[in-house]
Amino acid sequence: DKVLALIAQCKAKGINLAVVETFRTHAKQNEYKAMGKKYTRSTGGRSKHQYGLAVDVVPLVDSVAVWNNPYLWRKIGLIGERLG
């Protein structure tokens, strides 16, 4: 419900979000861990993704994922923090 609320509230502010990833297996989490801290600091069994408590989103601008816009991420983060 909170993810849907985040998407809706961001959209109301002109920010379109795409869901990138939700559930991860232990194997996938370990694969990301092996890729380095840029991807994750958590090993298999220690990620909230493995327990239904995390989701990755990315803002879309003109249908293109925008990963490196701190201003945009800050706006998304503030909405997420208000949602808890």
Side-chain angles (χ1 to χ4, degrees):
D1 291 342
K2 288 184 181 183
V3 174
L4 294 175
L6 174 67
I7 292 169
Q9 288 182 29
C10 284
K11 187 170 185 148
K13 295 198 179 277
I15 303 168
N16 290 315
L17 294 180
V19 174
V20 177
E21 192 168 29
T22 57
F23 176 79
R24 290 185 194 150
T25 63
H26 279 54
K28 180 54 88 173
Q29 186 65 33
N30 285 332
E31 181 182 324
Y32 287 154
K33 173 70 173 167
M35 293 168 71
K37 291 182 180 178
K38 180 179 177 183
Y39 294 93
T40 187
R41 293 181 300 271
S42 300
T43 57
R46 296 188 171 261
S47 170
K48 291 183 178 185
H49 282 276
Q50 295 174 277
Y51 304 99
L53 301 173
V55 62
D56 292 338
V57 296
V58 65
L60 301 175
V61 176
D62 296 325
S63 300
V64 176
V66 178
W67 295 100
N68 298 315
N69 183 327
Y71 174 74
L72 193 53
W73 281 110
R74 179 72 179 141
K75 288 173 75 173
I76 296 164
L78 289 172
I79 295 167
E81 287 174 2
R82 282 194 300 269
L83 290 168

